[in-house]
């Protein structure tokens, strides 16, 4: 492998891994508090995508459209919790799980009905299709941006969780939800903030995810949801660090298989990935990073 | 020391599903008093405390805090009004540092940053083990240290009423004495406390008044001297149907 290949491989894995890590984090922040795998999570990317599509061709500069798209994902995430999850939160976890499927289907069908089942082009800035030369090999600027933005988001997120009272409350609620409330932290506040962060992460990821594909479809959320889910399972559902580790690891595995598998096996890459996931889970059923001692879920 | 009723429970009923744990309990805590709630396992002590804290919703009766009805308030509102609780399970946040645990204890007065920082320092002086381990994860503390952290965390909210649920539970005998000394110390500082305990003997040594609970009802109440004269405390502690052992202490 030449230096150029190595740089390209590194940038690919890092940019993909950064996106995977953010997606996994968005899933796990809600799971940590509600023990709910939010299956409507992928649709948040879809909502951001269609917001971009609807705003495209308008007078707004791209960056403004991007911010609005991210805000649309945040708003959808918070509204979903408010309308769909909050009324049944105290009842049962199964009910919430099924509700999350329902929300997912509802949002997809809304896109089918009101927009189109066919792919719609989303506006992307020119810089997303440019490349720069790094150590003698061409690297898409988009990938470098993905790495930069993700690392900045992870840094910001860590700061929020470690330094602010609200962040500390979020971490506390993930292990002892009742006690967190008994110290004065409103349950609804913690849960709304978790969903808002989840939406923010999904929105930011969607910009880069769509940047790779260039268009949005009603079912675009499925793959990111799956990726986030696998990454959290590898890394450990109970740990935020685990989600990030799992995200990057999954990208390394995917990238490595792309490189190592012979061409006639490449279309079965996912089978190999899942096989590896099974092996990891056999060795460490809780995932690679163990979370805090289990507490009761929020009710 | 001021005067006035801090907490008043009227005809309190608390149940889980089909089971009624508390059946018609009346109790008052006056300003500056250390009131104890003693009784056997399953007598309804913890349910009474959790209902007051807003965690359990009473099926009947009223809970008044300084005359205000708080019967149906959620826990976050109750603590904001000035009632802090140290639950039986302690519930320190294991993956948060000692400092973060304490900081969260001051959540209801988080805007008063300077005051919180001062209180944190004062509490570290009161609990030197915590001061030495501020940046360690609370999950690494021993049982006794976690109990101290749970009490310190509750004090961070500057409560007008502090409720402690079996603070001596599961501790080594030497530590049990320290916890009772500590609670007595809080009482001397003029704090108002509601203490739930199974360790009847040591509790009555420090309490101003006590209520003896049996199967969800109050069997007796009064000052420790009055109670000692009136009933067989050992049997109240052990509960009905079991032989009384003189001088029994909790676990």
């Amino acid at each position: 492998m030449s230096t150029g290949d190595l740089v390209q491989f590194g940038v690919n894995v890092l940019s993909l891994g950064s996106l995977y890590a953010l997606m996994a984090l968005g899933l796990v922040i809600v799971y940590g508090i509600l023990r709910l795998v939010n299956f409507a999570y992928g649709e948040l990317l879809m909502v951001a995508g269609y917001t971009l599509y609807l705003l495209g061709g308008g007078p707004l500069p791209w960056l403004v459209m991007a911010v609005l798209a991210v805000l649309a994902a945040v708003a959808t995430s918070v509204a979903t919790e408010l309308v769909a999850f909050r009324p049944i939160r105290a009842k049962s976890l199964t009910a919430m799980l099924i509700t999350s499927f329902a929300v997912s289907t509802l949002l997809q069908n809304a896109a089918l009905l009101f927009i189109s089942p066919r792919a719609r082009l989303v506006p992307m800035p020119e810089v997303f299709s440019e490349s720069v030369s790094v150590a003698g090999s061409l690297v898409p600027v988009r990938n470098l941006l993905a790495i930069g933005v993700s690392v900045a988001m992870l840094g910001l997120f860590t700061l929020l969780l470690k330094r602010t009272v609200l962040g500390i409350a979020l971490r506390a609620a993930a292990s002892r939800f009742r006690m967190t409330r008994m110290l004065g932290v409103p349950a609804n506040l913690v849960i709304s903030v978790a969903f808002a962060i989840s939406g923010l992460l999904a929105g930011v990821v969607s910009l880069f995810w769509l940047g790779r594909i260039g268009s949005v479809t009603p079912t675009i959320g499925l793959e990111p949801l799956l990726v986030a889910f696998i990454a959290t399972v590898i890394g450990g559902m109970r740990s935020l660090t685990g989600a990030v580790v799992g995200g990057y690891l999954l990208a390394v595995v995917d990238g490595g298989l792309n490189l190592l598998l012979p061409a006639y096996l490449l279309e079965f890459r996912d089978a190999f990935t899942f096989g590896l996931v099974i092996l990891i889970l056999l060795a460490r059923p809780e995932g690679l990073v163990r979370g805090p001692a289990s507490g009761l879920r929020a009710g | 020391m001021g005067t006035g009723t801090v907490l008043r429970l009227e005809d309190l009923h608390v149940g889980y599903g089909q089971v009624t744990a508390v059946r018609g309990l009346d109790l008052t805590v006056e300003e500056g008093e250390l009131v104890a709630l003693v009784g056997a396992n399953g007598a309804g002590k913890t349910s009474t405390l959790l209902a007051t804290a807003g965690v359990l919703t009473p099926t009947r009766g009223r809970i008044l805090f300084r005359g205000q009805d708080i019967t149906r308030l959620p826990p976050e509102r109750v603590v904001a009004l000035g009632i802090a609780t140290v639950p039986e399970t302690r519930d320190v946040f294991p993956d948060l540092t000692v400092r973060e645990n304490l900081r969260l204890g001051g959540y209801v007065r988080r805007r008063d940053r300077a005051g919180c920082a001062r209180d944190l320092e004062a509490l570290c002086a009161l609990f030197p083990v915590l001061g030495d381990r501020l940046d360690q994860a609370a999950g690494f503390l021993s049982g006794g240290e976690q109990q101290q952290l749970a009490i310190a965390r509750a004090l961070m909210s500057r409560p007008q009423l502090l409720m402690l649920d079996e603070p001596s539970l599961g501790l080594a005998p030497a530590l049990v004495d320290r916890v009772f000394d500590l609670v007595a110390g809080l009482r001397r500082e003029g704090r108002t406390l509601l203490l739930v305990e199974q360790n009847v003997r040591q509790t009555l040594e420090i309490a101003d008044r006590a209520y003896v609970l049996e199967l969800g009802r109050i069997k007796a109440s009064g000052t420790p001297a009055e109670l000692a004269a009136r009933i067989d405390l050992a049997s109240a502690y052990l509960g009905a149907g079991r032989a009384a052992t003189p001088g029994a202490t909790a676990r």
Side-chain angles (χ1 to χ4, degrees):
Chain A
M1 204 198 287
S2 72
T3 334
D5 288 344
L6 209 64
V7 167
Q8 237 164 14
F9 176 75
V11 170
N12 274 340
V13 164
L14 271 181
S15 66
L16 208 57
S18 301
L19 297 183
Y20 288 3
L22 290 191
M23 282 190 281
L25 211 51
L27 201 62
V28 121
I29 186 116
V30 167
Y31 181 83
I33 289 167
L34 287 181
R35 303 291 177 270
L36 163 76
V37 178
N38 180 10
F39 282 100
Y41 181 59
E43 275 58 53
L44 300 177
L45 278 87
M46 182 202 82
V47 166
Y50 279 113
T51 309
L52 269 185
Y53 158 71
L54 292 172
L55 292 172
L60 297 172
W62 185 81
L63 213 54
V64 176
M65 290 195 282
V67 169
L68 289 174
V70 172
L71 286 180
V74 173
T76 308
S77 184
V78 173
T80 303
E81 190 272 322
L82 216 62
V83 175
F85 297 130
R86 187 164 296 185
I88 55 163
R89 200 169 75 208
K91 305 243 163 49
S92 90
L93 190 53
T94 319
M96 281 213 291
L97 206 62
I98 291 170
T99 304
S100 82
F101 277 116
V103 171
S104 163
T105 311
L106 200 76
L107 288 171
Q108 279 188 31
N109 281 300
L112 276 173
L113 195 65
F114 296 116
I115 300 176
S116 164
R118 289 213 306 270
R120 288 287 186 242
L121 285 180
V122 290
M124 281 295 155
E126 293 212 346
V127 67
F128 267 45
S129 43
E130 286 166 6
S131 292
V132 287
S133 170
V134 178
S137 75
L138 276 183
V139 172
V141 177
R142 192 184 62 230
N143 287 356
L144 296 176
L145 276 173
I147 298 172
V149 169
S150 302
V151 169
M153 293 272 296
L154 288 178
L156 210 72
F157 193 59
T158 311
L159 219 61
L160 169 84
L161 286 175
K162 295 263 181 200
R163 296 268 178 263
T164 69
V165 178
L166 192 65
I168 296 173
L170 272 173
R171 282 159 58 216
S175 67
R176 305 259 190 274
F177 191 78
R178 190 186 82 179
M179 191 63 227
T180 312
R181 294 184 71 186
M182 286 167 79
L183 294 179
V185 185
N188 288 338
L189 174 75
V190 170
I191 292 169
S192 287
V193 169
F195 272 89
I197 292 174
S198 182
L200 176 73
L201 291 167
V204 170
V205 166
S206 88
L207 299 178
F208 295 101
W209 193 266
L210 294 166
R212 294 152 50 93
I213 309 168
S215 61
V216 56
T217 63
T219 53
I220 193 146
L222 184 64
E223 199 189 340
L225 172 72
L226 208 60
V227 162
F229 187 58
I230 297 167
T232 50
V233 168
I234 297 176
M237 289 296 273
R238 301 294 321 280
S239 155
L240 298 172
T241 320
V244 176
V245 169
Y248 279 103
L249 200 68
L250 184 60
V252 170
V253 169
D254 274 357
L257 287 174
N258 269 346
L259 211 64
L260 299 175
L261 283 182
Y264 66 95
L265 282 180
L266 258 186
E267 59 177 307
F268 303 112
R269 191 195 69 187
D270 284 350
F272 285 89
T273 309
F274 283 120
L276 215 72
V277 170
I278 292 172
L279 286 181
I280 291 175
L281 287 183
L282 277 176
R284 301 209 36 139
E286 284 182 47
L288 295 174
V289 182
R290 221 154 277 194
S294 176
L296 294 171
R297 79 179 179 89
Chain B
M1 214 171 293
T3 52
T5 304
V6 176
L7 181 71
R8 180 187 294 279
L9 308 181
E10 293 176 353
D11 189 33
L12 189 72
H13 286 68
V14 187
Y16 313 81
Q18 298 293 315
V19 187
T20 307
V22 180
R23 322 146 179 256
L25 181 142
D26 293 281
L27 174 152
T28 56
V29 180
E30 305 290 327
E31 185 87 51
E33 255 190 332
L34 166 48
V35 172
L37 197 54
V38 297
N41 238 339
K45 305 184 303 289
T46 296
S47 302
T48 304
L49 213 76
L50 289 180
T52 308
V55 174
L56 297 177
T57 310
T59 46
R60 225 169 87 190
R62 290 208 300 168
I63 303 171
L64 300 170
F65 178 62
R66 295 196 186 285
Q68 184 186 347
D69 192 332
I70 60 163
T71 314
R72 275 163 216 293
L73 289 189
E76 51 261 38
R77 297 274 307 279
V78 172
V79 62
L81 285 174
I83 303 181
T85 312
V86 178
E88 185 180 357
T89 40
R90 286 161 204 157
D91 286 354
V92 302
F93 304 109
D95 53 325
L96 266 54
T97 64
V98 170
R99 189 195 301 278
E100 288 169 337
N101 268 276
L102 291 173
R103 204 170 155 199
L104 210 52
Y107 182 85
V108 291
R109 46 190 281 255
R110 59 196 178 283
R111 311 226 184 281
D112 177 19
R113 276 167 171 264
C116 281
R118 262 200 313 279
D119 281 14
L120 195 135
E121 236 169 81
L123 286 167
C124 287
L126 187 63
F127 303 96
V129 268
L130 302 182
D132 293 344
R133 285 155 201 220
L134 273 179
D135 294 309
Q136 250 180 47
F140 291 117
L141 299 181
S142 72
E145 289 162 354
Q146 291 195 7
Q147 185 63 66
Q148 295 179 48
L149 175 58
I151 294 174
R153 184 181 59 186
L155 290 175
M156 278 297 290
S157 68
R158 288 205 181 162
Q160 299 170 48
L161 170 66
L162 177 62
M163 303 196 295
L164 300 163
D165 195 353
E166 305 227 20
S168 72
L169 187 70
L171 299 184
L175 281 170
V176 170
D177 291 346
R178 284 217 20 223
V179 166
F180 276 102
D181 285 347
L182 179 73
V183 175
L186 294 173
R187 154 77 181 77
R188 277 195 301 277
E189 284 174 21
R191 291 181 196 274
T192 310
L193 297 125
L194 179 59
L195 172 66
V196 161
E197 261 298 338
Q198 284 195 41
N199 188 334
V200 179
R201 187 179 52 80
Q202 278 181 295
T203 301
L204 291 189
E205 280 172 16
I206 61 169
D208 294 303
R209 283 190 303 118
Y211 293 81
V212 181
L213 216 59
E214 198 176 280
L215 298 173
R217 290 194 181 88
I218 289 183
K219 200 188 170 200
S221 66
T223 63
E226 289 167 358
L227 283 174
R230 226 183 299 163
I231 59 147
D232 179 0
L233 282 174
S235 85
Y237 152 62
L238 284 167
R242 279 163 69 183
T245 315
T249 52
R251 297 194 198 183

